[in-house]
Amino acid sequence: MKRNFIKLLGVSCLALFFASCGDDFLVEEPEGSIINADQLAEGIEKNPELGEATVTGIYATMFTTGTGGTDSQQDFGQKGFDVYGDMICSDMALSTSTYGWYRSRITEYQAPLDFTQEENYQVWRYYYRIINLSNLVIESLGGNDAIPESDDNKYTLGQALAMRAHSYFYLTQYMINDVEASWTSATLPIYIEPGFVGNSKSTTKEVYELMENDLVKAIGLLEGYGRPSKTQVDESVAQVIMAYVLASRRDRWQDVVTYSNNALLNTSASPMTTDESINGILGGFNTVDSQGWMWGVDLNEDIGLSLVSWWGQIDAYSYSYAAVGDNKAIDADLYESMKLDDVRRNQFFNDPSSTRYLQPLDKFYDSDRVIFGSSQIVKADYVYMRYEEPLLLKIEGLAKSGQEELAKVELMNFVSTRVSDASYINSLSGQGLIDEIYKQTRLEFWGEGKSYLAMKRGKTSIKRAANHLSFVGETMSFDDERLTFEIPQQEIQDNNNINSQN
């Protein structure tokens, strides 16, 4: 499996050139492009493996450094933006800062208030890069309405459509203060063909229509797909992406239940246990072989990630910043909200006298368990999605669609795997039940990039505990301008059809 991915990754290096746009990425043909959609279509006809390899290039972009268009050590693909979200919503505290990464621009909110800061550019550039790569694959297989004859091409097209929707979804979350309030406002440019021509903004409604249409098609095309590894999007992963999209609308909760439940039925993943095995929530989250992982990537020495990586920024057992003074910890108030026997308390180092207080030393760790690492090369894997995500989305959908009794039963079943007595859930109703689901979501997925999404769809406020370095005790609403990125300066300079923020 790993050897096959590395082989495809080698071929897919071509795909990184497809989206290589130089400094000015709003051009008809991206600078450095060595192949167009017609040429790719001809290549796929002669060698279907080229289509799979091109999609592999999309997945490689998710973990490759600099794919946000900068040389920042915060710029390392999807997991880099997961960190941004976790820190902006304040569930992840920068508790000590020696080297300064994330401090002023993210934790002190300089970037979301200043469109000249490169963090805005990284978010915009990364997700539109994925969109452009996806469009290249879609166009080469016949376009947005195509239904390829071969199963291989159907599966390739399905993955590309799902990844395009995935990227637009994150753009709606990171770049729009409030999806519901901006539903008929122009917010994001839509591109459904390769290359960027400087489109004007479409309305949020139009962006959602595109995402939902893409995902309906993707789910149909991916039916029966037996993916070679967890790197690829399959039917169940596409169904979870759809559940996230619909949940963020806040008006289609029964559909959220349907899609998340279908994902649970279709996935080969299963709930994570509470032990220190590779399948457990105390097992380090370091291998794609974990039974709970639905989507992730198998990193290894051949890929060659090191200091500039998610592991380098978060894990004290990896060779990088989290070991030597840029500590990331769980918000202290969130930690204290856990019951004393909640097994998830054991994921964090609970010694208030230590500078490592509330670091995730027993949630995320390199398998060698040596502080500062025994190797400069990252060999632990990246998780993008796991079984508990559709499970908790389903529970949230049940509660918000008026099916409280079913929601309580499923929530109690889940919480019973984390605490000894979950009977308190029986007494919850209304907003109290919804608040408990939100808290369980934050606790379960701490550090996995999901809390920001939950904050946005739940329209909640945040308040930082004492272990943050700034804004301690200040309450901020989900739609506070400090919690959403700006359209970057370069986009406004280069695109004559965009001249205002959202």
Side-chain angles (χ1 to χ4, degrees), residues 178-241:
D178 183 350
V179 163
E180 187 178 8
S182 68
W183 194 243
T184 58
S185 301
T187 51
L188 294 169
I190 288 176
Y191 297 96
I192 58 173
E193 295 177 352
F196 294 109
V197 293
N199 286 354
S200 59
K201 296 178 187 177
S202 294
T203 66
T204 300
K205 179 177 182 286
E206 289 168 333
V207 177
Y208 269 76
E209 287 173 346
L210 174 65
M211 290 189 289
E212 291 168 35
N213 288 336
D214 279 355
L215 288 165
V216 168
K217 294 175 190 173
I219 290 165
L221 290 166
L222 291 170
E223 184 176 356
Y225 175 45
R227 58 184 176 175
S229 74
K230 292 181 183 178
T231 301
Q232 292 80 13
V233 169
D234 67 2
E235 181 183 8
S236 65
V237 172
Q239 288 167 330
V240 178
I241 297 171

